Amino acid sequence: MASPRQSDGGGDGRRREGFEMNWAHLHLALNHVPVLGTLFVSLLLGAALIRNSEELKRCSLIGFVVLALVSIPIKFTGDFANEKLAEASWLAAERVTVHEQAADQATTGMFLLGLAAAFALWQGRGKPIRQVTLWAVLLLALATFYLMARTANLGGEIRHEEIRQSGMSPSDENPPTPCRF
């Protein structure tokens, strides 16, 4: 049995001693930040709108700008992780492609959300931020959360068969016919 300090650092099944972090590991560690961050900051903005709190509104908008900035390197860690694992026997290229396309959409949504939040902060310098702008940011945040959650789920399906919708890998399009006696 492997000790807790051993890890499959390269995704190739070989155990390694100590703590090693590669691009795939870093990508998996970081990609939760924009998914959960978008949800929590959206809830904070919703509470700010209900309570009519200027401080919470500005805090939420700053949170969206920070999440947009954090999302950029996460996209790159995914690209590097793909390169690192390209030769892995278990890797289904079709699933990676679908995840990467979804990541492009989610990153674009996050970038637009960050721009919208920055615009709202600029618009509200020295005065209250317009409600219509805040509601637009909230709607964009919810759409972005959907894109981020979808991307995360598709990324999970790359390695975890148990969460796949069909339960079959892409290579199982024509499953064998069961034997009948």
Side-chain angles (χ1 to χ4, degrees):
M1 181 171 196
S3 72
R5 293 193 43 88
Q6 290 181 334
S7 68
D8 179 8
D12 57 7
R14 296 180 300 173
R15 306 303 278 182
R16 292 175 176 80
E17 289 294 327
F19 179 73
E20 290 184 27
M21 185 170 280
N22 62 29
W23 288 113
H25 197 173
L26 185 62
H27 182 67
L28 292 172
L30 293 177
N31 68 20
H32 296 84
V33 173
V35 178
L36 296 174
T38 305
L39 175 63
F40 292 130
V41 176
S42 296
L43 292 172
L44 183 65
L45 181 55
L49 288 167
I50 291 169
R51 296 183 65 197
N52 199 23
S53 168
E54 287 299 316
E55 289 175 340
L56 286 181
K57 291 173 188 175
R58 290 181 193 281
C59 184
S60 301
L61 295 171
I62 291 168
F64 288 134
V65 171
V66 170
L67 286 171
L69 293 173
V70 168
S71 296
I72 296 166
I74 292 171
K75 174 72 170 97
F76 288 115
T77 63
D79 294 339
F80 294 139
N82 186 29
E83 289 174 17
K84 170 91 175 144
L85 299 175
E87 301 301 320
S89 61
W90 55 264
L91 189 66
E94 304 87 21
R95 291 197 189 283
V96 173
T97 300
V98 169
H99 172 63
E100 188 173 12
Q101 290 170 347
D104 289 341
Q105 294 170 355
T107 303
T108 300
M110 185 60 80
F111 180 71
L112 294 173
L113 176 58
L115 285 177
F119 172 75
L121 286 166
W122 176 81
Q123 182 187 51
R125 59 189 193 283
K127 59 184 177 189
I129 301 165
R130 293 179 54 207
Q131 290 290 91
V132 68
T133 304
L134 293 167
W135 282 103
V137 169
L138 182 59
L139 288 174
L140 183 56
L142 294 175
T144 301
F145 170 69
Y146 167 77
L147 292 172
M148 285 287 177
R150 179 175 160 262
T151 300
N153 187 58
L154 291 169
E157 287 180 4
I158 292 172
R159 187 71 172 160
H160 296 283
E161 296 176 15
E162 70 275 12
I163 65 170
R164 294 181 188 155
Q165 293 292 327
S166 67
M168 296 171 48
S169 68
S171 60
D172 293 338
E173 292 177 13
N174 298 317
T177 318
C179 295
R180 298 180 197 244
F181 294 102

